[in-house]
Amino acid sequence: WTDSSEWNFLHKFHLLEAEEHFCCGRYSEAKVSYDKAIFLSKEHKFINDEALACELAGYFAYETGEETAALDYLARAHENYNKWGAVAKSK
């Protein structure tokens, strides 16, 4: 079933991969994986997962000195949490 429904979990795989890369100091690989997770979440309309991926990418960007990118990611996370209905999370 994984072959026929890869779209259902691949974004989660990339998010976990991004976190592993970040923790291990492989920052360029982490950025690519965060962006893949965000893209796939958006493409398949997983708003909650897109919000989480944007939030974690924002923390990553901030920790690696990319303040402008961090603000962009976190703004997208805030927007998606609101769309999803997680208003308390977006405050």
Side-chain angles (χ1 to χ4, degrees):
W1 62 270
T2 57
D3 291 334
S4 63
S5 63
E6 185 177 81
W7 62 271
N8 201 27
F9 62 86
L10 188 58
H11 63 285
K12 294 177 184 182
F13 169 80
H14 286 298
L15 185 55
L16 289 171
E17 182 180 63
E19 289 289 287
E20 180 182 12
H21 289 318
F22 182 25
C23 289
C24 294
R26 297 186 302 266
Y27 300 141
S28 59
E29 292 95 335
K31 177 156 180 23
V32 169
S33 294
Y34 282 120
D35 288 339
K36 283 181 184 178
I38 292 167
F39 174 80
L40 291 170
S41 297
K42 183 177 181 80
E43 181 176 50
H44 297 293
K45 298 180 180 27
F46 292 108
I47 296 170
N48 56 323
D49 293 331
E50 182 184 356
L52 178 61
C54 287
E55 180 182 1
L56 295 175
Y59 296 147
F60 162 75
Y62 181 78
E63 289 295 321
T64 57
E66 298 179 42
E67 288 84 9
T68 302
L71 291 174
D72 289 342
Y73 282 125
L74 292 172
R76 285 180 64 186
H78 182 266
E79 179 183 322
N80 283 310
Y81 281 128
N82 278 328
K83 274 190 216 174
W84 185 45
V87 178
K89 174 68 175 167
S90 69
K91 287 186 179 185

